[in-house]
Amino acid sequence: MAPTPREPSTTPKIQEALDARDALAAALSRAGVQLPAMDIRRPWPDEREASYALVHLGVCPAPVAHALAEVILNGLTR
C-alpha cells in the first residue's frame, strides 16, 4: 500500500509500522482476506518523535473475521 496523505510524518517507528501494515495486507491478500480498514496510529499524536506506532486493523464484518480465523488455523496445522 502506498502511504496516503493523512498518514503521520514518517519517523523510524512510524515507517516500521507502515512496513508491518503493508506486509500484513499483502499476506492477507495472498490468503484471500482483505480487512476493510488498516491504518497507522500514534498513541500520542502531538509527539514530535514517536517512540512507537500501532497498526490499527480496524473493524471487519463477520465473514472476514471467519476467513481470517480460517487462514490462521490453516497456518497452525502446517
Side-chain angles (χ1 to χ4, degrees), residues 9 15 19 27 31 37 40-41 44 46 53 64-66 68 71 73:
S9 60
Q15 187 60 52
D19 293 344
I40 300 302
R41 305 251 173 109
W44 297 278
D46 56 341
V64 174
H66 282 294
L68 183 55
V71 166
L73 290 174

Side-chain angles (χ1 to χ4, degrees), residues 4-5 8 15 17 20 23 29-30 32 38 44 46 51 55 60 62 65 67-69:
T4 61
Q15 187 60 52
S29 179
R30 285 188 62 198
M38 292 177 65
W44 297 278
D46 56 341
S51 57
V55 178
C60 65
L68 183 55

Side-chain angles (χ1 to χ4, degrees), residues 6-43:
R6 30 176 281 224
E7 288 175 349
S9 60
T10 303
T11 66
K13 290 297 183 181
I14 290 174
Q15 187 60 52
E16 176 184 32
L18 288 168
D19 293 344
R21 179 204 59 195
D22 294 347
L24 179 59
L28 289 171
S29 179
R30 285 188 62 198
V33 177
Q34 181 178 353
L35 293 177
M38 292 177 65
D39 198 4
I40 300 302
R41 305 251 173 109
R42 291 187 295 180

